[in-house]
Amino acid sequence: MDKEIRQASHWALAFRPTGTPTAENFRLETAELPSLQDGQVLVKNIVTSVDPYMRGRMNDVKSYIPAFQIDEPLTGGAIGEVIESRSAALPVGTMVSHFLGWRTHAVLGEGEATVVDTRAIAPATYLGALGMPGLTAYVGLMKVAEFKEGDAVFVSGAAGAVGQMVGQLAKQFGASRVIGSAGSPEKVQHLLDLGFDAAFNYKDGAVAEQLKAAAPEGIDVYFDNVGGDHLEAAIATLNAFGRVAMCGAIAQYNATEPTPGPRNLGLAIGKCLTLRGFVVGQYAQFGGEFREKVAPLLLDGSIRTDTTVRHGIENMPNAFLELFTGGNRGKMVVEI
């Protein structure tokens, strides 16, 4: 082992943000790596993930995933190569996925790493279409929203890592119509190129009016990545017995005041709507089913996804902040 590899870099939370985070909320540090114990490996990270859910972890609140701690290294998805091993199951050269991102190197136990095959599938794909965002799209659509063939589906934040997958999966599984919202003309056109039947720029006017024009016969499923005016518009447009998979609410992640709920929530009663929130970790048992059904669609090109890549450990905070200004199309990753 090269002596210099015993020095590794990681990002820590410097202080908690109020409202929109800035680069000052993060601090790059260097630390000594411990010697390996039996069953452990040293992994050199190749690509790491930044995701919108990480914004919630910057707050000191109890949630479905532990909050980041001040002055402690941040965590998140990563793909790396085993470069030192005291594990027979994970020899040197093995490619693995794990949850100790936001750093150049990670010391892992056997149970903390999952072997991945990067010969036919790019490493970043395991952080996107075949990773947490892909599984989120699959279970949100199929298990939470209980999608049925012939449903009309609306996806907000449709140009993101999850949204792209939701729309294309819905088309593959027999949706009658798929509509997406995005934040620029270029992203709208890209959704159409991916096979969405209609798409609109939410910045061009009232979401409710644009959705009604795109779905004159209503929608049956709404996959919510945004909340706010998108959720209100969807409630107005949903047909009787419509279903909402509440995945994210990026419109209010950086809010400093309580965000009002949809003004038309009462419509859910007469329409017999189902609004169901979910977190992907509660649906891990469907991971095998998801990979069995989705991997072939990715390999044969039936589903296409985008990856926005930033380079260098020093650029991780900026890559994360870009998620809230529309800087990504598809999955945002950082190549270390």
Side-chain angles (χ1 to χ4, degrees), residues 155-168 179-184 186-192 194 196 199-200 202 225-226 304-308 326-332:
V155 188
S156 59
V162 174
Q164 285 188 355
M165 289 291 291
V166 173
Q168 292 182 88
I179 302 150
S181 70
S184 73
E186 294 78 16
K187 289 181 178 179
V188 167
Q189 181 57 54
H190 187 62
L191 293 178
L192 298 175
L194 290 177
F196 283 63
F200 61 86
Y202 65 84
N225 290 309
V226 175
R304 295 180 290 139
T305 59
D306 297 291
T307 303
T308 301
N328 64 302
R329 194 172 80 181
K331 183 75 188 78
M332 175 74 87

Side-chain angles (χ1 to χ4, degrees), residues 206-222:
V207 174
E209 294 179 5
Q210 295 195 77
L211 178 57
K212 184 177 180 181
E217 297 183 4
I219 57 174
D220 304 296
V221 168
Y222 171 46

Side-chain angles (χ1 to χ4, degrees), residues 278-336:
F278 77 103
V279 293
V280 68
Q282 299 299 316
Y283 294 83
Q285 68 270 28
F286 297 107
E289 175 185 319
F290 154 68
R291 289 185 290 272
E292 181 181 343
K293 291 187 177 181
V294 175
L297 298 174
L298 288 165
L299 290 172
D300 70 12
S302 298
I303 288 179
R304 295 180 290 139
T305 59
D306 297 291
T307 303
T308 301
V309 181
R310 300 294 181 254
H311 300 277
I313 185 72
E314 67 278 5
N315 288 317
M316 282 207 69
N318 288 335
F320 170 70
L321 297 175
E322 283 189 74
L323 297 173
F324 303 97
T325 58
N328 64 302
R329 194 172 80 181
K331 183 75 188 78
M332 175 74 87
V333 299
V334 178
E335 290 185 348
I336 302 300

Side-chain angles (χ1 to χ4, degrees), residues 17-94:
T18 299
T20 303
T22 68
E24 284 67 41
N25 292 114
F26 305 87
R27 183 175 62 248
L28 185 61
E29 299 179 339
T30 301
E32 293 284 335
L33 289 167
S35 298
L36 298 184
Q37 304 298 312
D38 288 342
Q40 289 186 324
V41 295
L42 176 62
V43 173
K44 180 180 180 181
N45 284 337
I46 293 173
V47 59
T48 65
S49 179
V50 291
D51 300 280
Y53 81 88
M54 294 175 177
R55 174 61 186 87
R57 299 187 70 191
M58 299 180 77
N59 299 330
D60 188 16
V61 296
K62 186 176 181 179
S63 186
Y64 63 92
I65 189 170
F68 293 137
Q69 297 301 307
I70 294 173
D71 297 329
E72 293 294 325
L74 305 178
T75 59
I79 305 294
E81 180 182 0
V82 174
I83 60 173
E84 182 181 352
S85 176
R86 292 188 63 179
S87 164
L90 300 172
V92 170
T94 304

Side-chain angles (χ1 to χ4, degrees), residues 141 147 153 165-178:
L141 180 68
F147 171 84
V153 178
M165 289 291 291
V166 173
Q168 292 182 88
L169 287 173
K171 291 296 291 184
Q172 288 293 319
F173 297 151
S176 62
R177 187 167 178 80
V178 174

